[in-house]
Amino acid sequence: MVLPTIHPLRGVLHNEVHARPPEAMVAPLALSHVVMVGDAAVREASRAHLAALLREHHLPEPAAGATHLRLDVAGFRIRWELHTEFVSWTFSRPIDPQGLAEPEPPTAAQAVPQDWLAALPGQCLAALHLWALPTGALPAQELTRQLLREESLVGSRVVDGQGAVYTDFAIHADGYARMVLLAEGITARRLGRLVQRLLEIETYRMAALLGLPAARESAAVLGVAEDELASLAEAIRVAGREQEPQLLDRLTRLAGQVESHYAATHSRFSASAAYFELVDARVQDIHESRLDSLQTIGEFIERRLSPARATCAWSVRRQDALSQRVSRISNLLRTRVEIEQQQSSQALLATMNQRQDLQLKLQATVEGLSVAAITYYIVGLVSHLAEGAHAIGWPFSAEATAACAIPVVALAVWLSLRRLHARLLGH
């Protein structure tokens, strides 16, 4: 069968549901999970770092556009995942149950070349050792006492009671946190999904907390901005007209500062909110139930992460509220300035009207003088014409003719000017 024209992103979008699939796992197994944070250059450098390890073991390098890779390398299995803000490295290897009786059971990180592991690009945000063990490997009490701190122990039954998870949410002497998963009767694929969810809980929990330092710094910045805004509001209330330009300049600078801070922290707070939601979703996916008298992982995370989540959300709300307040006060000051400008414009128009009235009065006076001047010149012409006409038989003298012509000429000139004014006003 022939398909019509295919969208260029169809393959990528279709395969997104298969991105970073869980692996089938069989206990006993040791895993070491490391999360490295960095910018785009650091994340791209992790690809080159992985390629260097693969070249040493004569293995194919990752493709240029690959975002995840998993394969076996000389005694351990590596899983590399490229995320938006970080790179996760997961190393795993099967372990001998007899080694669990030792004070420190083997870890997957011990099988990785140490020089190469120490040179991972970026900054380590999370590091976790996880042991997936059969239920009968060692008694749970002895195992947790051996690996975890009892004073901060957290545990719960998972996957409908088929397994149990223990952790202490503490960083141990080697710099790694620890988690123990006791699984019996769990299929390999379900165990792989459970391990992946547990690793993601630790990863997203730490990634979500990246917004907490930004929220604390934001509190100081927003506090200063709020004090400045309160001072500006009081100054605007008592300020005179001559002080308004300076106040408007201060308010504009404050608005720029608030918006700049919002732009610098909004992406971090948005990312933290998304990571908090992922943590909640992953905790629900493991289907916890209470184990003895221990606090469950979900309860511990809810109790300990709620203040950090509330702080980040409060910072976002505080930023929005401050931005709205700055906008309202800016509109208020701008309205006040516009009203005063309108009042000044009205006063200017009134002054212009007075001047125009004065000019019209002066113009009327000048027009009266113009009538007299025009009449004078026209009567002069009539006098010269009467002198010439008297010589050829005009019965009246030039002086009498000019005297009679004065009222007629003056009236005609005045009527002509009035008609001209009426015509101009009509247009």
Side-chain angles (χ1 to χ4, degrees), residues 339-371:
I339 291 175
E340 293 181 352
Q341 288 178 347
Q342 290 176 2
Q343 292 175 349
S344 299
S345 299
Q346 290 176 357
L348 180 60
L349 289 174
T351 303
M352 292 176 62
N353 289 335
Q354 293 176 358
R355 292 179 180 177
Q356 187 175 6
D357 292 338
L358 181 59
Q359 288 177 355
L360 290 175
K361 292 178 181 179
L362 292 175
Q363 184 178 357
T365 303
V366 172
E367 287 177 355
L369 297 177
S370 300
V371 170

Side-chain angles (χ1 to χ4, degrees), residues 33-356:
H33 182 68
V34 181
V35 178
M36 305 299 293
V37 175
D39 55 14
V42 170
R43 295 194 298 273
E44 191 61 30
S46 69
R47 190 193 308 274
H49 195 66
L50 174 63
L53 176 67
L54 299 181
R55 282 196 300 269
E56 290 182 0
H57 294 84
H58 306 288
L59 294 173
E61 299 181 11
T67 57
H68 67 280
L69 182 142
R70 54 185 181 182
L71 72 166
D72 295 316
V73 181
F76 65 94
R77 186 168 180 80
I78 185 171
R79 182 185 178 102
W80 169 79
E81 295 182 356
L82 185 65
H83 296 263
T84 304
E85 292 187 300
F86 55 85
V87 179
S88 65
W89 305 82
T90 305
F91 312 99
S92 61
R93 63 166 177 167
I95 56 176
D96 186 359
Q98 300 299 326
L100 298 177
E102 301 177 0
E104 288 291 335
T107 66
Q110 294 173 344
V112 181
Q114 298 302 298
D115 293 341
W116 179 87
L117 181 62
L120 289 179
Q123 297 176 328
C124 181
L125 178 65
L128 173 69
H129 290 316
L130 188 149
W131 292 274
L133 307 174
T135 305
L138 279 178
Q141 185 176 4
E142 179 182 350
L143 191 62
T144 54
R145 185 185 308 112
Q146 177 178 329
L147 296 175
L148 306 174
R149 300 175 183 175
E150 293 187 8
E151 63 273 11
S152 58
L153 186 63
V154 175
S156 59
R157 297 189 184 278
V158 292
V159 290
D160 303 323
Q162 295 183 0
V165 178
Y166 298 90
T167 184
D168 55 8
F169 288 100
I171 298 178
H172 292 258
D174 59 355
Y176 285 78
R178 294 181 176 181
M179 187 176 292
V180 178
L181 170 61
L182 301 180
E184 189 68 35
I186 302 179
T187 62
R189 290 191 175 277
R190 191 169 189 182
L191 179 61
R193 290 194 298 270
L194 177 59
V195 168
Q196 182 170 330
R197 296 296 181 265
L198 294 174
L199 297 179
E200 288 175 346
I201 288 174
E202 179 68 12
T203 300
Y204 295 140
R205 176 181 72 90
M206 295 299 297
L209 290 174
L210 285 175
L212 183 59
R216 290 171 177 169
E217 295 176 2
S218 178
V221 175
L222 295 177
V224 174
E226 288 172 346
D227 292 341
E228 175 67 12
L229 183 60
S231 175
L232 272 171
E234 178 64 21
I236 290 172
R237 187 179 67 85
V238 299
R241 180 178 301 180
E242 66 281 356
Q243 296 174 329
E244 290 175 351
Q246 292 81 4
L247 293 176
L248 186 59
D249 180 68
R250 286 177 57 188
L251 190 57
T252 302
R253 292 178 183 273
L254 178 61
Q257 178 185 355
V258 171
E259 293 302 322
S260 175
H261 180 71
Y262 179 85
T265 57
H266 178 68
S267 60
R268 181 71 271 155
F269 291 150
S270 299
S272 292
Y275 288 134
F276 279 125
E277 292 179 0
L278 287 174
V279 171
D280 295 339
R282 297 301 182 266
V283 170
Q284 292 178 0
D285 289 344
I286 63 177
H287 302 289
E288 282 188 298
S289 59
R290 188 167 297 280
L291 177 62
D292 299 331
S293 60
L294 294 177
Q295 190 176 21
T296 66
I297 295 176
E299 291 173 347
F300 180 87
I301 290 178
E302 176 65 23
R303 180 180 178 184
R304 299 302 176 90
L305 288 191
S306 292
R309 178 183 295 189
T311 300
C312 294
W314 170 75
S315 295
V316 173
R317 292 194 300 269
R318 193 176 178 186
Q319 282 182 341
D320 293 338
L322 181 59
S323 179
Q324 293 175 5
R325 289 171 56 194
V326 170
S327 179
R328 287 198 302 267
I329 294 181
S330 297
N331 293 334
L332 177 64
L333 181 58
R334 190 176 299 110
T335 301
R336 177 175 171 176
V337 171
E338 290 176 354
I339 291 175
E340 293 181 352
Q341 288 178 347
Q342 290 176 2
Q343 292 175 349
S344 299
S345 299
Q346 290 176 357
L348 180 60
L349 289 174
T351 303
M352 292 176 62
N353 289 335
Q354 293 176 358
R355 292 179 180 177
Q356 187 175 6

